[in-house]
Amino acid sequence: MDVAGLRNRIKSTLDPNAELRGQAEQDLKYAEEQPGFIDALVNILEAEQDTQLRLSAVVYLKNRVTRAWSPGEEHLQNKPIPEEEKTGFRNRLLPILASAQPQIRQQLIPILQKVLHYDFPSKWPNFLDITMRLLNTNEANSVFAGLQCMLAICRVYRFKSENRADFDKIVAVSFPQLLTIGTGLVNETSNEAGEMLRTVMKAYKHAAYFELPPHLREHGTIVGWCSLFLGLVAKVAPPDSLSDDLDERESNHWWKAKKWAYYNLNRLFVRYGNPSTLQKESWDNYSEFSKNFITNFAPEILKAYLLQIEKWIAKTAWLSKPCLSFTLAYLDECIKPKSMWAHLKPHMETLIAHVLFPVLCQSDEDIELFESDPPEYLHRKLTFYEEVSSPDVAATTFLVTLTKSRKKQTFTILSFINGIVNRYESAPDDQKNPREKEGALRMIGTLSSVILAKKSPIADQVEYFFVRHVFPEFRSPHGYLRARACDTLEKFEQLDFKDPQNLIIIYRNILESMADPELPVRVEAALALQPLIRHDAIRNAMQQNIPQIMQQLLKLANEVDVDALANVMEDFVEVFAAELTPFAVALTQQLRDTYLRIIRELMERNNQKEGDDSYGDFLDDKSITALGVLQTIGTLILTLESTPDVLAHLETILMPIISVTLENKLYDLYNEVFEIIDSCTFSAKSISPAMWQAFELIHKTFKSGAELYLEDMLPALDNFVAYGSENLIQNQAYLEAVVSMVYDIFRDEKVGGVDRICGCKLAESIMLHLPGHVDHHVPKFVELAMTTLVNNEMKVKSYRIHLMEMIINALYYNASLTLHSLESNGWTNKFFSLWFSNIDNFTRVHDKKLSIAAIVALLTLRADQVPVSVQQGWPRLLTGIVRLFQTLPAAMKNREEASKEDFTLEEGLNDDEDEEDEGWDDPGWTGEADELEEDVKDESTAYIQFLNEEAQKFGAVADDDDDELEEESLLETPLDKVEPYGLFRNALLQLQHEQPPLYESLTKNLNPDEQTVVQGVIHQAEVNAMSASQQTNGGAH
């Protein structure tokens, strides 16, 4: 390729003239797929002096390698790079990296990562040798390139469980040199040395992430690396790393290197060095290492961390947020092991007062944010758990661990909090410190679950604390303190107030706070109101002004995207359904407008993401809020089942929501939109013109690549078939549209068993609800099911059952038509064998009734309609139906219990008293027991262990025949109206009357037990008939 010509084209992409630029970009798009493109770009990188041009060239190189290096089907739209070009490029890549300037190097590293991911070690066997040569030179750029290579290798193996032996050898060969380089760098002060050391730290991080290689477990090696990490932790930060701009300071290479030193020390202790948290499967590999580590290394690390904390408290040293967070996370890990707690315990009072408390108080940055950007302040405070490197998150976690594991410390903390709030209370107004008061309330809110736990000796003092120290802050002149008062109330939602007057005071304060001039106060008040509705006094008071409260909530939802607000609205819609019905239309319109606004903003934002074709990237605050709004609408619809006229109005109002979501392929919101359509059609028990429009959109969505969402669509589709059957019969286009979805799901190779089961269910719904109107589709349904049953080995039993039921449904729909279809394909014997050998696997009431109804349909055929191939086995029909009747009563009982469980499940979910065994009745509280006697059991490790064991159990049976179909209490089909006992009795009498020989041949093979069952069925049929008759007559009087 002409290098000069290529250089010229790249230069033109920087031209101010848009037309020239556009033409150059088109030329380069063509050139990148021509032979020699990569080589030519490398030539430019080696020779070019113009920095901007080199940068453009390396970006083109990165894009070409990223898009076309991978083999196979990835990035099919790009022409793959030929193997011979790849070989040449691999040979040239490292020398360029070694001589590259920082900006260029930044672009080369992802290229190296991509190449190694696919080519190391098989196609680039000498890469490690080259890396070691670079690491062993005395030239800084070459050493840095070697470090980057080493980091890239470690990244390749970071998550790999296979080929660990190869990686273990690489670590054994290279990490001694890495340690030597790191130990030398820690005494330097230049920014370049900081960047190199940061790379060493990250290489270790990735190497030790999944497993700790054997070389790194050796005692001498641990000493060397831990000395390096601790040296870096203790190192006085070079002056250049202490910029006045704190954001700049946080991102300095030295502080990044320190961060990874803390991280590596923590990882060693948490994952490998603490015997009490080691998982069972890791015990053999790490038991000796962990005992050695917790005895000889962990105490030294704690000592070093506490020394840095002392300097931070004295303000003689600054710590970045990640360094402070990792320090607190390490201290957290020292609470449960007995030996580490002995070292930590003497420092607790200092840590509570001078570290945890200041970290939990409002910073200057927080207060500025509260005033200048309230939505961002709320995001930071309400989703703080997302900020993994945030010190206040680590402090909160530490306090919870401390008070749950070392409970006597709760008194130390509460004593400290009392000191703060009492000082605040007694101080003159001009000397009160609102930040301290806010921090104290945050601290006590963090401990709410421990303070209110079962048998807590201090729970009964909380109400007094509220009256004295929380209530006054609803009137505080400081907005953030008013917001914290609301938040504290929410945190103590389980508190049972003894004085009903206090509940009235709370309610009045919360209502006033919902009208506060500050947005964070209004939001916190709304969130606090939600759990308060469990109190009768508050719920009764709210009934009077729930429409106004909902208006305020909707207004808030339009001011800030906080997904929790949607949960509040959804709860209120459910609890105050009766009061809100008169306002349902207006409420729905406002919810719709809120949703459409959020979606409009989402679309605009996504359109601005140039060149990003990853659609559906919506899981952020806005989309979660949108999701919540949809769920609120869904709940509102279900409360309006008894008001069909309001519901009809709502369907029209909601059409824009359905249209905008489906037409713009907002996949993350599909499920909720399909639920809304399901709720509308199910509650109305009819299909309005607006909902038929929705049906057209569902069908269009399905056809345009959303087959995998059939499971979400199915309840709504079932309603269209069940409640719109008349319309489907009259409008063949709609009927063909539904049926085509069944065909498509079986033809589509992308979909799995779960989606095909949905296809079976849809076919079943069509046949059950449209008897006599889909004859021409029945043979096709039989063919789809039988082809799959015959050709595939069904590992999942539920899939096999549903396929069989597709054919059983067809037999119930039209027995002779279905038999003809089976017979003409030679499938009759095969199907009946499958059906009757699996008869005990039809466990649900629905399955049994369907099989009974299908067998009855077969029994009432004339003898000449029974295919010769199965005539001999025809008596087995009676044996099968006897077995079904034997097990039907147990199945009905099971369904009844499942239905009861559905109603009690939610209550059970909220009843977490058993879990709250915080040990307040533990003898340790009396002060007689020594807290240091033993390790505190690590519940999280036990839980992970349990999950692992369950996963292994599941893995062992996943391919087995062990997946039972569960009763679906909300499943409604025409079979619900079928009375199986009477159906069978009438069929038997008809057979006896019309075809005595056939009746004789069927019944003579029954053994005495089976004959008894038949007699019992006939008797039950008569009892049922008499009972039905009495009910009818009783209703007539």
Side-chain angles (χ1 to χ4, degrees), residues 717-752:
L717 289 172
D718 188 57
N719 293 343
F720 283 111
V721 176
Y723 307 125
S725 51
E726 288 302 315
N727 208 316
L728 289 175
I729 292 163
Q730 289 160 16
N731 188 334
Q732 280 297 303
Y734 281 169
L735 179 56
E736 294 302 316
V738 180
V739 172
S740 72
M741 291 164 88
V742 178
Y743 294 166
D744 287 355
I745 209 77
F746 274 91
R747 289 194 197 110
D748 194 327
E749 290 178 8
K750 290 197 300 290
V751 304

mmCIF file of all heavy atoms in Angstrom, residues 717-752:
data_model
loop_
_atom_site.group_PDB
_atom_site.id
_atom_site.type_symbol
_atom_site.label_atom_id
_atom_site.label_comp_id
_atom_site.label_asym_id
_atom_site.label_seq_id
_atom_site.Cartn_x
_atom_site.Cartn_y
_atom_site.Cartn_z
ATOM 1 N N LEU A 717 -50.992 -12.419 24.970
ATOM 2 C CA LEU A 717 -51.470 -13.151 23.781
ATOM 3 C C LEU A 717 -52.573 -14.138 24.163
ATOM 4 O O LEU A 717 -53.564 -14.298 23.444
ATOM 5 C CB LEU A 717 -50.302 -13.896 23.115
ATOM 6 C CG LEU A 717 -49.265 -13.013 22.401
ATOM 7 C CD1 LEU A 717 -48.075 -13.854 21.962
ATOM 8 C CD2 LEU A 717 -49.887 -12.299 21.205
ATOM 9 N N ASP A 718 -52.393 -14.781 25.307
ATOM 10 C CA ASP A 718 -53.406 -15.729 25.786
ATOM 11 C C ASP A 718 -54.742 -15.012 26.009
ATOM 12 O O ASP A 718 -55.807 -15.531 25.684
ATOM 13 C CB ASP A 718 -52.919 -16.374 27.086
ATOM 14 C CG ASP A 718 -53.850 -17.507 27.522
ATOM 15 O OD1 ASP A 718 -54.051 -18.444 26.734
ATOM 16 O OD2 ASP A 718 -54.388 -17.431 28.645
ATOM 17 N N ASN A 719 -54.674 -13.779 26.531
ATOM 18 C CA ASN A 719 -55.904 -12.998 26.727
ATOM 19 C C ASN A 719 -56.559 -12.646 25.393
ATOM 20 O O ASN A 719 -57.787 -12.666 25.271
ATOM 21 C CB ASN A 719 -55.601 -11.699 27.495
ATOM 22 C CG ASN A 719 -55.178 -11.963 28.924
ATOM 23 O OD1 ASN A 719 -55.390 -13.049 29.454
ATOM 24 N ND2 ASN A 719 -54.565 -10.979 29.563
ATOM 25 N N PHE A 720 -55.729 -12.294 24.395
ATOM 26 C CA PHE A 720 -56.298 -11.967 23.073
ATOM 27 C C PHE A 720 -57.053 -13.171 22.500
ATOM 28 O O PHE A 720 -58.116 -13.029 21.901
ATOM 29 C CB PHE A 720 -55.195 -11.525 22.100
ATOM 30 C CG PHE A 720 -54.718 -10.118 22.330
ATOM 31 C CD1 PHE A 720 -53.452 -9.867 22.827
ATOM 32 C CD2 PHE A 720 -55.553 -9.034 22.071
ATOM 33 C CE1 PHE A 720 -53.017 -8.571 23.053
ATOM 34 C CE2 PHE A 720 -55.126 -7.731 22.297
ATOM 35 C CZ PHE A 720 -53.851 -7.496 22.795
ATOM 36 N N VAL A 721 -56.489 -14.363 22.722
ATOM 37 C CA VAL A 721 -57.149 -15.575 22.211
ATOM 38 C C VAL A 721 -58.392 -15.887 23.056
ATOM 39 O O VAL A 721 -59.457 -16.197 22.517
ATOM 40 C CB VAL A 721 -56.164 -16.772 22.233
ATOM 41 C CG1 VAL A 721 -56.862 -18.053 21.798
ATOM 42 C CG2 VAL A 721 -54.971 -16.491 21.309
ATOM 43 N N ALA A 722 -58.269 -15.766 24.384
ATOM 44 C CA ALA A 722 -59.365 -16.144 25.282
ATOM 45 C C ALA A 722 -60.534 -15.169 25.193
ATOM 46 O O ALA A 722 -61.693 -15.579 25.073
ATOM 47 C CB ALA A 722 -58.854 -16.214 26.719
ATOM 48 N N TYR A 723 -60.248 -13.867 25.258
ATOM 49 C CA TYR A 723 -61.326 -12.876 25.331
ATOM 50 C C TYR A 723 -61.645 -12.239 23.977
ATOM 51 O O TYR A 723 -62.599 -11.475 23.861
ATOM 52 C CB TYR A 723 -60.973 -11.775 26.352
ATOM 53 C CG TYR A 723 -60.601 -12.332 27.702
ATOM 54 C CD1 TYR A 723 -59.379 -12.017 28.309
ATOM 55 C CD2 TYR A 723 -61.456 -13.202 28.388
ATOM 56 C CE1 TYR A 723 -59.021 -12.537 29.546
ATOM 57 C CE2 TYR A 723 -61.100 -13.734 29.625
ATOM 58 C CZ TYR A 723 -59.894 -13.400 30.191
ATOM 59 O OH TYR A 723 -59.536 -13.918 31.406
ATOM 60 N N GLY A 724 -60.799 -12.543 22.972
ATOM 61 C CA GLY A 724 -61.057 -11.972 21.643
ATOM 62 C C GLY A 724 -61.342 -13.048 20.617
ATOM 63 O O GLY A 724 -61.152 -12.842 19.410
ATOM 64 N N SER A 725 -61.782 -14.240 21.095
ATOM 65 C CA SER A 725 -61.962 -15.380 20.182
ATOM 66 C C SER A 725 -62.958 -15.062 19.058
ATOM 67 O O SER A 725 -62.740 -15.426 17.902
ATOM 68 C CB SER A 725 -62.386 -16.631 20.950
ATOM 69 O OG SER A 725 -63.489 -16.342 21.772
ATOM 70 N N GLU A 726 -64.060 -14.342 19.394
ATOM 71 C CA GLU A 726 -65.055 -14.003 18.361
ATOM 72 C C GLU A 726 -64.417 -13.171 17.257
ATOM 73 O O GLU A 726 -64.641 -13.406 16.070
ATOM 74 C CB GLU A 726 -66.226 -13.219 18.999
ATOM 75 C CG GLU A 726 -67.143 -14.057 19.875
ATOM 76 C CD GLU A 726 -67.763 -15.236 19.107
ATOM 77 O OE1 GLU A 726 -68.213 -15.001 17.965
ATOM 78 O OE2 GLU A 726 -67.751 -16.357 19.638
ATOM 79 N N ASN A 727 -63.615 -12.215 17.669
ATOM 80 C CA ASN A 727 -62.951 -11.344 16.702
ATOM 81 C C ASN A 727 -61.944 -12.119 15.852
ATOM 82 O O ASN A 727 -61.809 -11.882 14.644
ATOM 83 C CB ASN A 727 -62.246 -10.201 17.447
ATOM 84 C CG ASN A 727 -62.133 -8.949 16.599
ATOM 85 O OD1 ASN A 727 -61.794 -9.030 15.430
ATOM 86 N ND2 ASN A 727 -62.395 -7.809 17.204
ATOM 87 N N LEU A 728 -61.240 -13.049 16.482
ATOM 88 C CA LEU A 728 -60.262 -13.868 15.744
ATOM 89 C C LEU A 728 -60.958 -14.723 14.690
ATOM 90 O O LEU A 728 -60.433 -14.928 13.588
ATOM 91 C CB LEU A 728 -59.478 -14.763 16.718
ATOM 92 C CG LEU A 728 -58.467 -14.064 17.641
ATOM 93 C CD1 LEU A 728 -57.875 -15.054 18.624
ATOM 94 C CD2 LEU A 728 -57.338 -13.416 16.841
ATOM 95 N N ILE A 729 -62.143 -15.232 15.048
ATOM 96 C CA ILE A 729 -62.901 -16.071 14.097
ATOM 97 C C ILE A 729 -63.330 -15.228 12.897
ATOM 98 O O ILE A 729 -63.249 -15.659 11.747
ATOM 99 C CB ILE A 729 -64.124 -16.710 14.801
ATOM 100 C CG1 ILE A 729 -63.638 -17.739 15.840
ATOM 101 C CG2 ILE A 729 -65.060 -17.377 13.790
ATOM 102 C CD1 ILE A 729 -64.693 -18.123 16.871
ATOM 103 N N GLN A 730 -63.757 -13.993 13.188
ATOM 104 C CA GLN A 730 -64.237 -13.127 12.104
ATOM 105 C C GLN A 730 -63.084 -12.502 11.315
ATOM 106 O O GLN A 730 -63.215 -12.228 10.127
ATOM 107 C CB GLN A 730 -65.112 -12.007 12.688
ATOM 108 C CG GLN A 730 -66.453 -12.504 13.204
ATOM 109 C CD GLN A 730 -67.088 -11.537 14.190
ATOM 110 O OE1 GLN A 730 -66.694 -10.375 14.268
ATOM 111 N NE2 GLN A 730 -68.055 -12.025 14.955
ATOM 112 N N ASN A 731 -61.943 -12.256 11.989
ATOM 113 C CA ASN A 731 -60.824 -11.581 11.338
ATOM 114 C C ASN A 731 -59.679 -12.579 11.160
ATOM 115 O O ASN A 731 -58.831 -12.751 12.031
ATOM 116 C CB ASN A 731 -60.384 -10.388 12.206
ATOM 117 C CG ASN A 731 -59.357 -9.530 11.509
ATOM 118 O OD1 ASN A 731 -58.619 -9.992 10.644
ATOM 119 N ND2 ASN A 731 -59.295 -8.257 11.891
ATOM 120 N N GLN A 732 -59.682 -13.248 10.021
ATOM 121 C CA GLN A 732 -58.700 -14.312 9.764
ATOM 122 C C GLN A 732 -57.259 -13.803 9.822
ATOM 123 O O GLN A 732 -56.347 -14.529 10.205
ATOM 124 C CB GLN A 732 -58.971 -14.965 8.403
ATOM 125 C CG GLN A 732 -60.096 -15.987 8.418
ATOM 126 C CD GLN A 732 -59.784 -17.176 9.334
ATOM 127 O OE1 GLN A 732 -58.783 -17.849 9.177
ATOM 128 N NE2 GLN A 732 -60.666 -17.424 10.310
ATOM 129 N N ALA A 733 -57.050 -12.542 9.450
ATOM 130 C CA ALA A 733 -55.676 -11.994 9.461
ATOM 131 C C ALA A 733 -55.108 -12.020 10.883
ATOM 132 O O ALA A 733 -53.935 -12.370 11.097
ATOM 133 C CB ALA A 733 -55.681 -10.564 8.932
ATOM 134 N N TYR A 734 -55.954 -11.664 11.868
ATOM 135 C CA TYR A 734 -55.500 -11.712 13.267
ATOM 136 C C TYR A 734 -55.208 -13.148 13.691
ATOM 137 O O TYR A 734 -54.215 -13.430 14.361
ATOM 138 C CB TYR A 734 -56.569 -11.117 14.197
ATOM 139 C CG TYR A 734 -56.603 -9.598 14.243
ATOM 140 C CD1 TYR A 734 -57.659 -8.920 14.856
ATOM 141 C CD2 TYR A 734 -55.567 -8.835 13.698
ATOM 142 C CE1 TYR A 734 -57.700 -7.525 14.915
ATOM 143 C CE2 TYR A 734 -55.598 -7.446 13.746
ATOM 144 C CZ TYR A 734 -56.655 -6.793 14.356
ATOM 145 O OH TYR A 734 -56.686 -5.426 14.424
ATOM 146 N N LEU A 735 -56.082 -14.053 13.292
ATOM 147 C CA LEU A 735 -55.901 -15.462 13.678
ATOM 148 C C LEU A 735 -54.610 -16.006 13.078
ATOM 149 O O LEU A 735 -53.806 -16.653 13.770
ATOM 150 C CB LEU A 735 -57.100 -16.296 13.211
ATOM 151 C CG LEU A 735 -57.029 -17.800 13.520
ATOM 152 C CD1 LEU A 735 -56.821 -18.055 15.008
ATOM 153 C CD2 LEU A 735 -58.302 -18.500 13.039
ATOM 154 N N GLU A 736 -54.400 -15.713 11.788
ATOM 155 C CA GLU A 736 -53.163 -16.183 11.130
ATOM 156 C C GLU A 736 -51.936 -15.569 11.798
ATOM 157 O O GLU A 736 -50.892 -16.212 11.889
ATOM 158 C CB GLU A 736 -53.185 -15.839 9.629
ATOM 159 C CG GLU A 736 -54.266 -16.567 8.834
ATOM 160 C CD GLU A 736 -54.151 -18.094 8.943
ATOM 161 O OE1 GLU A 736 -53.027 -18.627 8.854
ATOM 162 O OE2 GLU A 736 -55.199 -18.757 9.132
ATOM 163 N N ALA A 737 -52.066 -14.332 12.262
ATOM 164 C CA ALA A 737 -50.932 -13.674 12.929
ATOM 165 C C ALA A 737 -50.544 -14.418 14.206
ATOM 166 O O ALA A 737 -49.363 -14.658 14.472
ATOM 167 C CB ALA A 737 -51.300 -12.225 13.259
ATOM 168 N N VAL A 738 -51.551 -14.820 15.001
ATOM 169 C CA VAL A 738 -51.263 -15.555 16.249
ATOM 170 C C VAL A 738 -50.631 -16.899 15.924
ATOM 171 O O VAL A 738 -49.613 -17.287 16.514
ATOM 172 C CB VAL A 738 -52.559 -15.774 17.080
ATOM 173 C CG1 VAL A 738 -52.223 -16.528 18.362
ATOM 174 C CG2 VAL A 738 -53.209 -14.466 17.442
ATOM 175 N N VAL A 739 -51.230 -17.612 14.989
ATOM 176 C CA VAL A 739 -50.738 -18.954 14.642
ATOM 177 C C VAL A 739 -49.310 -18.876 14.095
ATOM 178 O O VAL A 739 -48.453 -19.711 14.421
ATOM 179 C CB VAL A 739 -51.683 -19.632 13.631
ATOM 180 C CG1 VAL A 739 -51.078 -20.941 13.124
ATOM 181 C CG2 VAL A 739 -53.046 -19.887 14.257
ATOM 182 N N SER A 740 -49.038 -17.832 13.295
ATOM 183 C CA SER A 740 -47.694 -17.725 12.690
ATOM 184 C C SER A 740 -46.618 -17.578 13.765
ATOM 185 O O SER A 740 -45.470 -17.976 13.561
ATOM 186 C CB SER A 740 -47.631 -16.537 11.731
ATOM 187 O OG SER A 740 -47.629 -15.316 12.460
ATOM 188 N N MET A 741 -46.984 -17.027 14.926
ATOM 189 C CA MET A 741 -46.001 -16.877 16.007
ATOM 190 C C MET A 741 -45.601 -18.243 16.563
ATOM 191 O O MET A 741 -44.448 -18.462 16.943
ATOM 192 C CB MET A 741 -46.565 -15.967 17.112
ATOM 193 C CG MET A 741 -46.696 -14.524 16.641
ATOM 194 S SD MET A 741 -47.747 -13.503 17.700
ATOM 195 C CE MET A 741 -46.586 -12.932 18.884
ATOM 196 N N VAL A 742 -46.571 -19.170 16.581
ATOM 197 C CA VAL A 742 -46.248 -20.552 17.003
ATOM 198 C C VAL A 742 -45.280 -21.166 16.003
ATOM 199 O O VAL A 742 -44.258 -21.758 16.380
ATOM 200 C CB VAL A 742 -47.528 -21.413 17.108
ATOM 201 C CG1 VAL A 742 -47.170 -22.848 17.485
ATOM 202 C CG2 VAL A 742 -48.510 -20.828 18.105
ATOM 203 N N TYR A 743 -45.600 -21.004 14.708
ATOM 204 C CA TYR A 743 -44.736 -21.591 13.669
ATOM 205 C C TYR A 743 -43.322 -21.011 13.759
ATOM 206 O O TYR A 743 -42.332 -21.741 13.702
ATOM 207 C CB TYR A 743 -45.311 -21.317 12.273
ATOM 208 C CG TYR A 743 -46.631 -21.992 11.992
ATOM 209 C CD1 TYR A 743 -47.422 -21.613 10.899
ATOM 210 C CD2 TYR A 743 -47.102 -23.032 12.796
ATOM 211 C CE1 TYR A 743 -48.632 -22.243 10.627
ATOM 212 C CE2 TYR A 743 -48.307 -23.658 12.544
ATOM 213 C CZ TYR A 743 -49.072 -23.262 11.455
ATOM 214 O OH TYR A 743 -50.266 -23.889 11.197
ATOM 215 N N ASP A 744 -43.241 -19.681 13.913
ATOM 216 C CA ASP A 744 -41.931 -19.020 13.913
ATOM 217 C C ASP A 744 -41.059 -19.493 15.065
ATOM 218 O O ASP A 744 -39.858 -19.690 14.915
ATOM 219 C CB ASP A 744 -42.095 -17.491 14.031
ATOM 220 C CG ASP A 744 -42.622 -16.879 12.737
ATOM 221 O OD1 ASP A 744 -42.754 -17.621 11.754
ATOM 222 O OD2 ASP A 744 -42.914 -15.666 12.726
ATOM 223 N N ILE A 745 -41.669 -19.682 16.231
ATOM 224 C CA ILE A 745 -40.874 -20.028 17.412
ATOM 225 C C ILE A 745 -40.283 -21.430 17.263
ATOM 226 O O ILE A 745 -39.222 -21.733 17.798
ATOM 227 C CB ILE A 745 -41.700 -19.879 18.715
ATOM 228 C CG1 ILE A 745 -40.772 -19.535 19.899
ATOM 229 C CG2 ILE A 745 -42.490 -21.114 19.059
ATOM 230 C CD1 ILE A 745 -40.322 -18.102 19.926
ATOM 231 N N PHE A 746 -40.954 -22.290 16.500
ATOM 232 C CA PHE A 746 -40.412 -23.639 16.273
ATOM 233 C C PHE A 746 -39.374 -23.652 15.153
ATOM 234 O O PHE A 746 -38.499 -24.502 15.139
ATOM 235 C CB PHE A 746 -41.546 -24.619 15.961
ATOM 236 C CG PHE A 746 -42.165 -25.199 17.205
ATOM 237 C CD1 PHE A 746 -43.259 -24.593 17.805
ATOM 238 C CD2 PHE A 746 -41.632 -26.326 17.815
ATOM 239 C CE1 PHE A 746 -43.815 -25.099 18.969
ATOM 240 C CE2 PHE A 746 -42.178 -26.846 18.978
ATOM 241 C CZ PHE A 746 -43.272 -26.227 19.563
ATOM 242 N N ARG A 747 -39.491 -22.707 14.242
ATOM 243 C CA ARG A 747 -38.538 -22.666 13.124
ATOM 244 C C ARG A 747 -37.244 -21.954 13.505
ATOM 245 O O ARG A 747 -36.196 -22.209 12.941
ATOM 246 C CB ARG A 747 -39.161 -21.920 11.927
ATOM 247 C CG ARG A 747 -40.270 -22.700 11.247
ATOM 248 C CD ARG A 747 -40.604 -22.080 9.894
ATOM 249 N NE ARG A 747 -41.894 -22.546 9.402
ATOM 250 C CZ ARG A 747 -42.980 -21.786 9.325
ATOM 251 N NH1 ARG A 747 -42.944 -20.532 9.717
ATOM 252 N NH2 ARG A 747 -44.110 -22.273 8.861
ATOM 253 N N ASP A 748 -37.329 -21.020 14.446
ATOM 254 C CA ASP A 748 -36.180 -20.178 14.791
ATOM 255 C C ASP A 748 -35.134 -20.978 15.557
ATOM 256 O O ASP A 748 -35.389 -21.508 16.629
ATOM 257 C CB ASP A 748 -36.656 -18.994 15.652
ATOM 258 C CG ASP A 748 -35.604 -17.903 15.755
ATOM 259 O OD1 ASP A 748 -34.405 -18.238 15.758
ATOM 260 O OD2 ASP A 748 -35.976 -16.723 15.834
ATOM 261 N N GLU A 749 -33.939 -21.055 14.992
ATOM 262 C CA GLU A 749 -32.884 -21.853 15.633
ATOM 263 C C GLU A 749 -32.255 -21.151 16.833
ATOM 264 O O GLU A 749 -31.580 -21.777 17.635
ATOM 265 C CB GLU A 749 -31.804 -22.194 14.598
ATOM 266 C CG GLU A 749 -32.325 -23.196 13.561
ATOM 267 C CD GLU A 749 -31.286 -23.502 12.491
ATOM 268 O OE1 GLU A 749 -30.128 -23.066 12.646
ATOM 269 O OE2 GLU A 749 -31.653 -24.171 11.503
ATOM 270 N N LYS A 750 -32.475 -19.831 16.946
ATOM 271 C CA LYS A 750 -31.868 -19.074 18.054
ATOM 272 C C LYS A 750 -32.512 -19.427 19.393
ATOM 273 O O LYS A 750 -31.896 -19.322 20.431
ATOM 274 C CB LYS A 750 -32.051 -17.564 17.838
ATOM 275 C CG LYS A 750 -31.257 -16.956 16.722
ATOM 276 C CD LYS A 750 -31.192 -15.431 16.863
ATOM 277 C CE LYS A 750 -32.550 -14.751 16.846
ATOM 278 N NZ LYS A 750 -33.231 -14.767 15.548
ATOM 279 N N VAL A 751 -33.785 -19.797 19.356
ATOM 280 C CA VAL A 751 -34.526 -19.927 20.622
ATOM 281 C C VAL A 751 -34.303 -21.292 21.261
ATOM 282 O O VAL A 751 -33.997 -22.269 20.587
ATOM 283 C CB VAL A 751 -36.040 -19.674 20.429
ATOM 284 C CG1 VAL A 751 -36.286 -18.330 19.796
ATOM 285 C CG2 VAL A 751 -36.687 -20.765 19.619
ATOM 286 N N GLY A 752 -34.500 -21.331 22.568
ATOM 287 C CA GLY A 752 -34.296 -22.578 23.308
ATOM 288 C C GLY A 752 -35.608 -23.179 23.766
ATOM 289 O O GLY A 752 -36.700 -22.749 23.367
#
